[in-house]
Amino acid sequence: FVLRSSFDALFQDKKLREDTKDLTCLLDSENYLLAGRPLVAIEFGSKDQQNQFLLRKLNGGSDRITNSGALSTVLCRIATSISCQASAASDLVADHMAYLLAADRDREKLFVSYLPEPRMAAAAAGMWKNDHCFVERLLPALQHAMITGVVHAGCRGEIVGQIVLLKAFDAACKICNKPPGSCVSLLSVLTQLLPSSVSNPCEFLTSSCIPRPLLDSHLACGQFVQLTHHFSLSTNVQLAERH
């Protein structure tokens, strides 16, 4: 069981008070990677060792990618519902780091999902950046999951949108020599979404797309999270600023 009251505890060394207005100190902070289960947040000698360990966990302990491992490598970064009627759901929980979040007394209604664990998503991003693996293994596993009902096919448009945005953020991070999930400029992310026919993307974005107060803004996205609660505007702002 994991009990978490606030991610703010992870940034205590940054001295973020309730009335803090300047959050620029968080741009280069990696404390957010400590969020999640102890197994995920444990420190290794190097980031490569840590990523390989987490990829093996996503892949059920195997060094070779399996169909279930490929599916878990996709699902740990996107927000979608996993059908508990499918046998694959229990397999994802038992061997591929998915989480059984809730169950009724008769265990007839279950809620299975992946937790918002940035370090796990960052490890999975290492597989996403391999174009051959992404096209030949990860996407077919997701497609098969939709066809068989493991993943709700009705939200396929949202899933495609999430994948496109994640790939844009990953590309922006790579250009800036930063690991996936890091803060990058809004301009660099939007540039990845433009067609190659745009001759001067920077000029186009600054003149037509980005409001002047946001020209120097930074943002990060390493995964999407499934939310089932309707938050107030102030809570949404706080989540966006600090989490």
Side-chain angles (χ1 to χ4, degrees), residues 84-99:
C84 296
Q85 305 302 319
S87 59
S90 58
D91 180 41
L92 290 173
V93 172
D95 297 320
H96 300 283
M97 300 299 286
Y99 219 82

Side-chain angles (χ1 to χ4, degrees), residues 3-9:
L3 178 63
R4 297 178 300 178
S5 56
S6 173
F7 278 96
D8 286 348

Side-chain angles (χ1 to χ4, degrees), residues 56-61 66-70 72 88 91-98 114 120:
R56 283 197 302 272
K57 297 298 292 182
L58 282 172
N59 206 36
T66 63
N67 290 334
S68 296
S72 67
D91 180 41
L92 290 173
V93 172
D95 297 320
H96 300 283
M97 300 299 286
Y114 279 85
M120 182 73 76

Side-chain angles (χ1 to χ4, degrees), residues 190-237:
L190 294 181
T191 300
Q192 307 308 312
L193 297 171
L194 291 178
S196 57
S197 58
V198 179
S199 58
N200 193 332
C202 184
E203 180 181 345
F204 172 77
L205 289 171
T206 54
S207 63
S208 307
C209 300
I210 304 177
R212 185 171 296 277
L214 295 180
L215 287 178
D216 296 325
S217 62
H218 286 67
L219 70 169
C221 182
Q223 66 183 141
F224 285 90
V225 180
Q226 186 88 339
L227 298 177
T228 58
H229 178 74
H230 182 69
F231 291 119
S232 65
L233 176 60
S234 61
T235 303
N236 278 327
V237 171

Side-chain angles (χ1 to χ4, degrees), residues 39-229:
L39 180 67
V40 176
I42 189 173
E43 294 284 351
F44 278 73
S46 71
K47 288 185 177 180
D48 286 340
Q49 288 180 331
Q50 194 164 44
N51 287 340
Q52 288 303 315
F53 169 75
L54 293 176
L55 286 174
R56 283 197 302 272
K57 297 298 292 182
L58 282 172
N59 206 36
S62 174
D63 289 324
R64 298 181 60 185
I65 189 165
T66 63
N67 290 334
S68 296
L71 179 60
S72 67
T73 304
V74 176
L75 295 183
C76 76
R77 297 194 76 193
I78 63 176
T80 187
S81 56
I82 300 172
S83 172
C84 296
Q85 305 302 319
S87 59
S90 58
D91 180 41
L92 290 173
V93 172
D95 297 320
H96 300 283
M97 300 299 286
Y99 219 82
L100 176 60
L101 293 174
D104 64 358
R105 288 180 178 272
D106 300 323
R107 292 182 59 81
E108 293 180 353
K109 297 179 180 179
L110 309 174
F111 180 34
V112 173
S113 182
Y114 279 85
L115 288 180
E117 296 174 310
R119 185 161 275 160
M120 182 73 76
M127 298 294 291
W128 283 47
K129 71 179 181 182
N130 183 323
D131 290 337
H132 177 77
C133 178
F134 186 75
V135 173
E136 299 295 330
R137 299 304 304 271
L138 303 190
L139 287 184
L142 177 61
Q143 182 185 37
H144 183 262
M146 289 184 174
I147 293 173
T148 56
V150 177
V151 175
H152 182 42
C155 59
R156 58 185 177 273
E158 295 177 8
I159 291 176
V160 170
Q162 291 178 57
I163 291 174
V164 169
L165 287 173
L166 284 170
K167 295 288 279 185
F169 272 96
D170 290 350
C173 289
K174 182 179 179 180
I175 291 173
C176 298
N177 293 316
K178 292 184 175 183
S182 300
C183 274
V184 289
S185 69
L186 174 61
L187 183 63
S188 64
V189 175
L190 294 181
T191 300
Q192 307 308 312
L193 297 171
L194 291 178
S196 57
S197 58
V198 179
S199 58
N200 193 332
C202 184
E203 180 181 345
F204 172 77
L205 289 171
T206 54
S207 63
S208 307
C209 300
I210 304 177
R212 185 171 296 277
L214 295 180
L215 287 178
D216 296 325
S217 62
H218 286 67
L219 70 169
C221 182
Q223 66 183 141
F224 285 90
V225 180
Q226 186 88 339
L227 298 177
T228 58
H229 178 74

